[in-house]
């Protein structure tokens, strides 16, 4: 590795989400690639993305990716399912750096793991309306029967910390019973927040395998860094974890911190609006 490549490989992995939920992806990446620096940017000023149009989500994603690359990110992980579903192609057309979303790794795992080919997908309204998971699963397994359900009430419940609560169980039963009736054996948790509800979801759909996009994204990132020879050259170090938000932190940051055991120190405040794209 020449000096320029080695210094690039020491750059952080830039991760972004519409808010705090993408910390589930950051936590999975830290567990797998503990020697890599991470710069996480949560767009808390403009969250939620889940009900916004493609044009808006693309614009936000371009602004944030430009900022992360200007900060020296060697690769970008779009932790937000909504942004992955709606803006990944746009980002790849504008930037040269490797850009990874959460949809393809999650779809890949679901297509591989399902035995009966009946796969459920849950996510925000925008993610489900985009059909991105369905397309990605069918690409790998054309005969798969994919049933998708938007679950707009789950993000607010999770942000309120109601992870083990009868109200959450009722809402889950309402959203998930149609999927059980379809005979799914695999369910994709297609939203950053849902891994925090894994226990309650598993209770509601006994016997169904849950596919956590966060875990699978971390695996795919490890493979991508290896393939591009972009791994941090020092395997023994502990990576820095830097968090920036576009609005002052909210209560959900502490919910996520507690449940994900992440070392979130000082949180920077960054303005992302109008950041200019760089290649
Ligand atoms: N991060 C979003 C996702 O994974 C959920 C929150 C939002 O709607 O912005 O789809």
């Amino acid at each position: 590795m020449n000096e320029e490549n080695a210094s690039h490989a020491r750059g952080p992995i830039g991760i972004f989400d519409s808010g705090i939920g993408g910390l589930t992806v950051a936590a999975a990446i830290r567990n797998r690639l503990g020697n890599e620096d991470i710069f996480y940017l949560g767009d808390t000023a403009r969250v939620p993305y889940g009900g916004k149009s493609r044009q808006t989500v693309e614009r936000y994603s371009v602004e944030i990716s430009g900022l992360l690359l200007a900060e020296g990110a060697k690769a970008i992980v779009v932790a937000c399912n909504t942004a992955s579903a709606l803006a990944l192609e746009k980002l790849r057309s504008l930037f040269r750096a490797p850009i990874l979303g959460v949809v393809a790794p999650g779809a890949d795992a679901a297509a591989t793991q399902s035995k009966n080919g009946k796969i459920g997908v849950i996510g925000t309204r925008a993610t489900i309306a985009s059909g991105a998971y369905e397309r990605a699963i069918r690409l790998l397994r054309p005969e798969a029967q994919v049933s998708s359900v938007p679950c707009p009430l789950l993000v607010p419940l999770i942000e309120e910390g109601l992870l083990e609560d009868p109200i959450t169980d009722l809402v889950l039963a309402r959203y998930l019973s149609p999927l059980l009736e379809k005979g799914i054996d695999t369910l994709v948790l297609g939203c950053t927040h849902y891994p925090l509800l894994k226990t309650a979801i598993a209770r509601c759909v006994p016997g169904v395998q849950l596919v956590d996009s966060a875990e699978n994204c971390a695996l795919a990132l490890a493979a991508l860094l290896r393939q591009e020879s972009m791994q941090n050259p020092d395997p023994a170090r502990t990576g820095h974890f830097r968090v920036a938000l576009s609005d002052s932190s909210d209560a959900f940051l502490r919910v996520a911190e507690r449940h994900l055991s992440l070392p979130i120190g000082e949180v920077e405040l960054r303005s992302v609006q109008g950041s200019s794209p760089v290649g």
Side-chain angles (χ1 to χ4, degrees):
M1 200 183 275
N2 67 33
E3 229 163 84
E4 198 187 326
N5 287 352
S7 122
H8 187 56
R10 284 197 185 88
I13 295 161
I15 305 178
F16 80 86
D17 178 39
S18 55
I20 310 290
L23 287 173
T24 53
V25 178
I29 289 174
R30 254 185 86 81
N31 284 342
R32 193 154 290 276
L33 299 165
N35 69 327
E36 298 285 352
D37 290 343
I38 290 176
F39 181 25
Y40 178 93
L41 199 136
D43 194 6
T44 45
R46 302 186 291 196
V47 72
Y49 286 10
K52 295 196 164 76
S53 68
R54 178 180 298 274
Q55 286 82 349
T56 299
V57 174
E58 279 181 351
R59 178 161 56 84
Y60 291 175
S61 302
V62 169
E63 287 172 352
I64 297 172
S65 301
L67 184 151
L68 291 171
L69 291 170
E71 291 278 340
K74 61 181 172 185
I76 301 234
V77 175
V78 185
C80 178
N81 283 257
T82 305
S84 295
L86 272 60
L88 204 63
E89 272 172 42
K90 179 79 173 180
L91 295 177
R92 287 185 172 149
S93 74
L94 288 175
F95 301 109
R96 278 194 311 268
I99 301 179
L100 191 73
V102 280
V103 171
D108 199 337
T112 315
Q113 287 172 27
S114 173
K115 292 206 166 53
N116 69 5
K118 295 181 181 170
I119 298 169
V121 180
I122 53 174
T124 63
R125 277 195 209 287
T127 297
I128 299 304
S130 76
Y133 270 107
E134 217 158 310
R135 274 195 304 281
I137 293 170
R138 289 241 174 78
L139 213 58
L140 300 160
R141 202 163 163 179
E143 86 293 355
Q145 290 175 34
V146 186
S147 311
S148 307
V149 174
C151 302
L153 290 174
L154 294 185
V155 165
L157 288 169
I158 296 163
E159 296 208 348
E160 285 302 319
L162 301 176
L163 307 181
E164 282 297 332
D165 194 278
I167 294 179
T168 307
D169 290 343
L170 274 176
V171 172
L172 282 173
R174 171 70 68 94
Y175 285 142
L176 300 179
S177 45
L179 293 176
L180 278 180
E181 279 161 25
K182 295 238 162 76
I184 60 159
D185 71 353
T186 304
L187 177 65
V188 180
L189 309 183
C191 173
T192 44
H193 291 53
Y194 301 169
L196 294 172
L197 272 191
K198 237 179 179 172
T199 311
I201 293 174
R203 219 174 21 242
C204 189
V205 291
V208 171
Q209 308 183 72
L210 303 184
V211 172
D212 174 344
S213 305
E215 268 313 314
N216 292 295
C217 178
L219 273 170
L221 177 66
L224 177 81
L225 294 183
R226 241 189 342 266
Q227 182 191 317
E228 304 274 332
S229 303
M230 284 175 112
Q231 296 140 300
N232 188 298
D234 181 356
R237 72 193 288 276
T238 302
H240 299 292
F241 186 50
R242 184 175 159 203
V243 176
L245 301 177
S246 57
D247 196 3
S248 46
S249 59
D250 53 35
F252 184 47
L253 182 63
R254 299 306 154 202
V255 174
E257 188 176 25
R258 208 169 44 246
H259 286 274
L260 300 169
S261 330
L262 275 172
I264 302 171
E266 195 120 332
V267 175
E268 298 166 38
L269 195 58
R270 292 293 294 261
S271 161
V272 290
Q273 215 150 352
S275 325
S276 63
V278 290

